[in-house]
Amino acid sequence: MAKIFQVTARAAMTRVVEPVARGLLRAGVSPNAVTVTGTVGVLAGALGFGARGHLVAGALIVTVFALTDMLDGTMARMSGGSTRFGAFLDSSMDRVADSAVFGAVAYWLATEGNHSGVAAALICLAAGGLVSYVKARAEGLGMTCNVGIAERTERLLIVGVGGLLTGLGVRPALEIALWLLAAVSIFTVGQRVAHVYRQAQLVGRE
């Protein structure tokens, strides 16, 4: 069910993103420029607003700029496919942006004395990096790893909704969102490790 929802949501977003991608390509904007711009926007939202407790503004800015993760990929596909450097840059910038988001959240929660929330944010940061690493390592070994219920877009949306609700006065929302995200991120790591293990076992029998 979660996978069906993911596919449906991404298909809906694609219909919105594709016209924007075409317009940017016609204007001479490169996918790499969009990647870097999106990361700078996420950094501004997370560090400039979220870390200072302006959670509504921070969540909205991060969400808007995080959507460029779909935009640059769509632009690359439309222009003939992603280059090796483009793929490398995209993955690297994603890690920078994710670190800024969860680092900013952990910092703000620490200033509020919410130690449980800080722990959840740090788990999310570590588990989120591991989710990405497991996939990259598997693909580097010639296997696939396109499984899991908590990919990057879903992780940012969960923390974004939690931050937005907390900024609007629902105080426990961010902490709840972080613990939920920590759980699904760890589960996703397990899914990916199990998926790679099954592939490795099949290869070993050949």
Side-chain angles (χ1 to χ4, degrees), residues 103-167:
V105 168
Y107 174 82
W108 178 74
L109 289 168
T111 64
E112 295 288 301
N114 188 336
H115 302 300
S116 173
V118 172
L122 294 177
I123 292 172
C124 288
L125 178 58
L130 191 54
V131 166
S132 300
Y133 173 78
V134 168
K135 180 178 180 178
R137 183 61 177 148
E139 291 176 345
L141 293 171
M143 293 179 278
T144 63
C145 198
N146 295 316
V147 298
I149 61 173
E151 296 186 17
R152 182 172 184 264
T153 301
E154 288 75 22
R155 295 198 302 272
L156 290 179
L157 285 176
I158 291 172
V159 72
V161 169
L164 183 62
L165 290 175
T166 295

Side-chain angles (χ1 to χ4, degrees), residues 12 34 48 80 92 120 136 150 163 169 172 175 190 192 195:
V34 172
S92 300
E175 184 178 352
R192 291 189 168 183
H195 183 72

Side-chain angles (χ1 to χ4, degrees), residues 20-63:
V20 178
R22 290 192 191 95
L24 289 172
L25 287 172
R26 282 196 295 268
V29 179
S30 72
N32 290 348
V34 172
T35 298
V36 174
T37 300
T39 301
V40 171
V42 170
L43 290 173
L47 303 179
F49 291 88
R52 297 165 60 193
H54 304 301
L55 299 184
V56 174
L60 292 175
I61 293 170
V62 167
T63 299

Side-chain angles (χ1 to χ4, degrees), residues 55-71:
L55 299 184
V56 174
L60 292 175
I61 293 170
V62 167
T63 299
V64 168
F65 280 98
L67 292 176
T68 60
D69 195 46
M70 291 186 65
L71 182 59

